[in-house]
C-alpha cells in the first residue's frame, strides 16, 4: 500500500469537500440573495452533516476499503452534479430549498465519512499519533487550497456549474486510483473500476457541456435574452436585451435598464454638480458601468474624473462592450477619465487629494462587505476627501421598499458630521429610489443644469426633496463597522418584497 498516494488522496478529498460547500453556498446566495443567511445556513448544515457522517462511519465494520471507494463514488456523483441540479430545480420547480438543504446534508454526511474510513484503513500502517497529525494536517492543507482557488481561479474561469463537475471528476479519480492502492483489501476491484470509469466519463461530458447548461439555466432565469454572461472574482455579470432595452445584472440583481437608467443617473449626479463650488475634479466611487461618468462629463468645467471600481471586468465591459460603451457615450475613454480598479475604502485611506464633487454609487448594502461602505468609518474617510466647498451624493436604496435602510444611511451620514439633504426619484425599473446629498455646510446653487437632460429640470429637482408620509423619516440606529445594523435592516425589508 503506497502511503504517499493515500496522503495525496487526503488532500484531494479535503479540497473537493470544501469546494462543494462553497459551490452550494455561492449558488444559494446568487439565486436567493441574503448572502449572510445562505452561507451561514449552508456552512452550518454542512458541518452538522459531516458530524453525522463521521458518527455513522462507526457502523461500517466489514469491507472498510470497499465502503471507502463507494463513498468516494457517491461524493463524486452528488457533489459533481450539485450545481447543475440545483440550477435546474430553481428554474423548473418550487422545491429549490428542499433540494438545496437535501444536497447539503447528503454531501456533508458522505464527506464526513471519508476521513474516519481512511484513518481505519491506515491504522495498521502508521503509528496512531503520526496518523492523526499527518492526516488532519493534510486535510487542512486541502481546505486551504480550496478556499484560495475557489474565488480567485475556479469561479472566474469555470463558473459554478463546471467547478462542481470538475471536482466530481477528481473525486471519481480518487475512487479509481483507490481501487489499485487498496486492491489487497477489496473483494472485487474490477466492478468498482467500471463504476468509477463510467462516472468519470459522465461527469466529463457534463463538464464539456457546462457552458451550455449554464446558458440554459440563465435563459430561464431572465425574462429577456442573455447577450453576455461572465464571472469575475467578485460577481456573476449578465447583460440582457429585451423590452426594457439593454440591462445589466450583477449576481442576479438589476443594476440598470437602458430604457429608464437616465432617471437614476441624472438624479444621482446633477443635484451635486450644480451645488458644488467648483466641478473641476470629480471622484466616482463605484459606477463601473460609466453611466454616472457620462452625466459628470456633460459639464465643460470638469478637468478630471477619477472612477474607483473594484471589478476590472465591469470597467472593461463599460469600455469595450459596444452597446454599453454607446450607452455611456464612451465616457470610459474620455481623456479626462482615470479608472482605478481597487477597494474604495483603501483608496480613501491611502490618498490625500480632495475633490470638488464625489459621487458614491455602490450596490445596495446586502452583505457585510458592502455594508462597510455605508458606515461612519467610511463616511469619515470620505469627509476628508471632499473640498471645503465640495458636495457629495450617496445612492441610498429605496425609501419606499427599504424605508429604515434609507434613513439609516442618512442618519449615519449625519453622525459622521455631514450636512445632509435626502431626496428621491421614481425609476420605473426600481420604483422609488433614494439619494442623500452631503456637504460640510449647506451649499448654495452655483450653476444651471446642462442642456439635453431627459428627466431633470429645475421644477422637477425642487420636488425631489418632498417625502410623502409612507417614505418619511423613522427612528433608526447609526450604521457602524462593529454592528452593521444597515445590512440587517436591508435584508429584513427587502425580504418582504422578494
Amino acid at each position: 500500500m503506497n502511503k504517499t498516494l493515500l496522503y495525496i488522496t487526503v488532500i484531494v478529498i479535503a479540497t473537493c469537500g470544501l469546494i462543494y460547500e462553497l459551490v452550494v453556498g455561492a449558488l444559494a446566495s446568487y439565486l436567493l440573495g441574503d448572502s449572510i443567511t445562505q452561507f451561514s445556513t449552508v456552512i452550518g448544515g454542512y458541518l452538522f452533516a459531516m458530524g453525522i457522517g463521521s458518527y455513522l462511519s462507526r457502523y461500517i465494520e466489514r469491507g472498510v476499503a470497499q465502503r471507502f471507494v463507494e463513498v468516494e463514488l457517491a461524493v463524486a456523483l452528488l457533489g459533481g452534479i450539485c450545481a447543475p441540479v440545483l440550477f435546474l430545480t430553481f428554474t423548473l420547480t418550487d422545491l429549490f430549498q428542499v433540494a438545496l438543504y437535501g444536497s447539503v446534508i447528503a454531501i456533508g454526511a458522505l464527506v464526513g465519512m471519508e476521513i474516519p474510513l481512511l484513518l481505519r484503513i491506515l491504522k495498521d500502517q502508521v503509528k496512531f499519533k503520526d496518523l492523526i497529525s499527518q492526516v488532519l494536517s493534510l486535510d487542512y492543507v486541502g481546505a486551504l487550497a480550496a478556499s484560495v482557488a475557489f474565488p480567485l481561479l475556479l469561479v472566474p474561469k469555470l463558473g459554478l456549474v463546471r467547478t462542481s463537475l470538475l471536482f466530481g471528476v477528481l473525486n471519481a479519480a480518487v475512487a479509481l486510483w483507490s481501487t489499485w492502492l487498496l486492491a489487497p483489501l477489496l473483494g472485487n476491484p474490477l466492478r468498482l473500476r467500471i463504476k468509477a470509469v463510467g462516472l468519470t466519463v459522465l461527469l466529463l461530458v457534463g463538464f464539456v457541456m457546462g457552458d451550455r447548461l449554464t446558458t440554459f439555466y440563465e435563459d430561464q432565469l431572465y425574462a429577456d435574452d442573455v447577450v453576455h454572461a461572465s464571472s469575475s472574482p467578485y460577481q456573476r455579470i449578465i447583460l440582457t436585451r429585451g423590452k426594457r432595452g439593454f440591462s445589466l445584472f450583477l449576481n442576479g440583481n438589476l443594476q440598470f435598464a437602458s430604457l429608464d437608467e437616465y432617471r437614476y443617473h441624472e438624479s444621482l449626479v446633477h443635484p451635486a454638480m450644480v451645488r458644488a463650488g467648483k466641478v473641476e475634479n470629480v471622484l466616482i466611487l463605484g459606477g463601473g458601468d460609466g453611466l454616472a461618468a457620462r452625466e459628470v462629463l456633460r459639464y465643460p468645467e470638469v478637468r478630471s474624473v477619477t472612477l474607483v471600481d473594484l471589478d476590472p471586468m465591469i470597467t472593461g465591459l463599460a469600455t469595450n462592450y459596444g452597446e454599453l460603451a454607446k450607452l455611456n457615450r464612451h465616457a470610459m475613454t474620455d481623456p479626462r477619465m482615470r479608472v482605478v480598479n481597487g477597494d474604495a475604502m483603501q483608496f480613501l485611506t491611502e490618498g490625500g487629494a480632495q475633490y470638488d464633487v464625489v459621487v458614491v454609487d455602490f450596490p445596495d448594502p446586502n452583505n457585510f462587505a458592502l455594508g462597510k461602505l455605508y458606515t461612519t468609518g467610511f463616511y469619515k474617510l470620505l469627509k476628508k476627501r471632499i473640498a471645503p466647498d465640495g458636495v457629495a451624493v450617496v445612492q441610498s436604496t429605496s425609501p419606499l421598499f427599504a424605508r429604515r435602510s434609507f434613513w439609516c444611511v442618512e442618519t449615519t451620514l449625519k453622525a459622521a458630521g455631514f450636512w445632509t439633504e435626502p431626496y428621491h426619484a421614481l425609476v420605473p425599473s426600481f420604483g422609488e429610489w433614494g439619494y442623500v446629498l452631503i456637504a460640510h455646510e449647506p451649499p448654495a446653487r452655483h450653476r444651471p443644469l446642462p442642456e439635453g437632460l431627459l428627466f431633470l429640470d429645475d421644477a422637477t429637482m425642487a420636488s425631489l426633496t418632498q417625502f410623502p408620509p409612507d417614505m418619511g423619516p423613522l427612528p433608526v440606529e447609526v450604521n457602524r463597522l462593529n454592528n452593521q445594523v444597515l445590512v440587517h435592516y436591508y435584508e429584513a425589508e427587502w425580504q418582504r418584497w422578494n
Side-chain angles (χ1 to χ4, degrees):
M1 187 182 300
N2 190 316
K3 288 185 289 186
T4 300
L5 288 178
L6 281 171
Y7 288 143
I8 293 173
T9 297
V10 173
I11 295 177
V12 174
I13 63 178
T15 304
C16 291
L18 186 57
I19 289 293
Y20 300 140
E21 181 180 359
L22 294 171
V23 164
V24 174
L27 193 147
S29 177
Y30 172 46
L31 294 177
L32 300 179
D34 190 7
S35 60
I36 298 170
T37 299
Q38 305 312 325
F39 268 103
S40 294
T41 55
V42 166
I43 291 170
Y46 195 85
L47 292 174
F48 174 70
M50 287 179 66
I52 293 174
S54 296
Y55 179 79
L56 292 177
S57 69
R58 66 183 293 184
Y59 295 106
I60 299 175
E61 298 179 355
R62 297 180 181 180
V64 174
Q66 174 95 7
R67 297 295 174 261
F68 173 74
V69 176
E70 290 172 348
V71 165
E72 286 305 300
L73 290 172
V75 173
L77 176 61
L78 294 182
I81 67 171
C82 67
V85 166
L86 288 174
F87 267 122
L88 191 64
T89 304
F90 184 84
T91 55
L92 300 181
T93 76
D94 295 325
L95 301 174
F96 176 73
Q97 290 191 319
V98 173
L100 174 70
Y101 292 107
S103 298
V104 167
I105 297 301
I107 297 170
L110 290 168
V111 170
M113 289 183 180
E114 291 175 321
I115 297 300
L117 292 177
L118 194 57
L119 287 172
R120 289 165 62 182
I121 293 169
L122 288 168
K123 66 181 176 62
D124 296 328
Q125 310 293 320
V126 185
K127 291 181 180 179
F128 180 74
K129 65 175 183 178
D130 294 332
L131 176 62
I132 295 298
S133 63
Q134 290 170 359
V135 170
L136 292 184
S137 296
L138 292 171
D139 185 57
Y140 297 141
V141 168
L144 174 63
S147 63
V148 172
F150 184 77
L152 299 182
L153 179 63
L154 297 172
V155 173
K157 300 297 184 183
L158 299 178
L160 295 177
V161 169
R162 296 178 75 194
T163 294
S164 73
L165 288 163
L166 173 64
F167 280 83
V169 170
L170 290 180
N171 257 138
V174 166
L176 184 58
W177 82 49
S178 295
T179 63
W180 275 278
L181 291 175
L182 305 176
L185 305 177
L186 296 172
N188 189 352
L190 179 60
R191 181 178 296 177
L192 291 172
R193 287 169 190 165
I194 293 172
K195 290 180 180 179
V197 170
L199 181 56
T200 301
V201 171
L202 176 65
L203 293 171
L204 281 173
V205 170
F207 179 79
V208 171
M209 297 180 62
D211 288 341
R212 294 182 186 178
L213 291 172
T214 303
T215 300
F216 170 76
Y217 303 139
E218 288 177 335
D219 284 342
Q220 308 307 309
L221 287 174
Y222 297 98
D224 298 330
D225 293 336
V226 175
V227 295
H228 173 86
S230 59
S231 295
S232 77
Y234 310 104
Q235 55 208 342
R236 181 68 173 168
I237 303 164
I238 300 292
L239 297 173
T240 67
R241 187 188 298 109
K243 293 181 178 179
R244 290 189 298 185
F246 180 61
S247 301
L248 171 67
F249 294 83
L250 299 180
N251 288 343
N253 298 310
L254 178 65
Q255 304 303 301
F256 71 78
S258 61
L259 184 66
D260 59 12
E261 57 79 18
Y262 67 88
R263 279 181 163 250
Y264 173 89
H265 291 101
E266 288 183 13
S267 300
L268 174 70
V269 170
H270 296 295
M273 294 292 287
V274 299
R275 294 177 71 174
K278 297 184 297 181
V279 293
E280 293 179 359
N281 299 309
V282 178
L283 173 64
I284 301 174
L285 300 176
D289 53 34
L291 297 173
R294 176 195 67 199
E295 298 303 317
V296 168
L297 292 169
R298 288 179 182 271
Y299 294 82
E301 307 102 298
V302 173
R303 293 184 179 179
S304 70
V305 181
T306 301
L307 187 149
V308 181
D309 192 282
L310 185 62
D311 195 342
M313 192 169 286
I314 290 293
T315 54
L317 279 173
T319 305
N320 301 313
Y321 193 84
E323 286 184 272
L324 184 50
K326 182 179 178 182
L327 189 62
N328 65 40
R329 296 182 187 171
H330 302 280
M332 306 298 278
T333 54
D334 189 288
R336 294 170 288 177
M337 284 289 298
R338 179 171 77 100
V339 176
V340 178
N341 290 120
D343 181 85
M345 181 172 278
Q346 187 175 355
F347 177 86
L348 294 181
T349 302
E350 293 177 350
Q354 291 191 323
Y355 298 89
D356 302 317
V357 177
V358 181
V359 178
V360 183
D361 190 20
F362 296 135
D364 280 2
N366 58 14
N367 59 58
F368 289 136
L370 289 169
K372 75 174 185 178
L373 304 176
Y374 291 80
T375 60
T376 51
F378 180 84
Y379 292 144
K380 286 177 181 178
L381 290 173
L382 177 63
K383 197 168 190 286
K384 296 176 183 178
R385 307 299 292 276
I386 300 173
D389 61 348
V391 177
V393 62
V394 178
Q395 94 77 15
S396 308
T397 195
S398 171
L400 178 62
F401 301 127
R403 187 176 172 189
R404 288 188 182 278
S405 301
F406 175 82
W407 292 106
C408 178
V409 175
E410 194 267 349
T411 299
T412 303
L413 286 162
K414 277 186 177 177
F418 284 110
W419 167 87
T420 66
E421 183 175 84
Y423 64 99
H424 65 99
L426 176 63
V427 183
S429 291
F430 298 116
E432 288 289 345
W433 212 256
Y435 315 81
V436 182
L437 198 70
I438 56 176
H440 299 290
E441 301 291 341
R445 182 162 177 176
H446 292 275
R447 61 190 53 78
L449 290 166
E451 295 182 0
L453 300 186
L454 300 176
F455 173 57
L456 282 187
D457 57 20
D458 289 339
T460 302
M461 195 161 67
S463 71
L464 301 184
T465 57
Q466 305 301 311
F467 285 82
D470 62 348
M471 294 194 294
L474 291 173
V476 290
E477 294 183 52
V478 173
N479 188 45
R480 304 185 189 278
L481 197 58
N482 69 334
N483 69 6
Q484 292 263 25
V485 66
L486 175 60
V487 176
H488 300 293
Y489 284 148
Y490 183 90
E491 289 180 346
E493 290 181 307
W494 279 103
Q495 203 167 38
R496 294 179 302 168
W497 300 95
N498 294 330

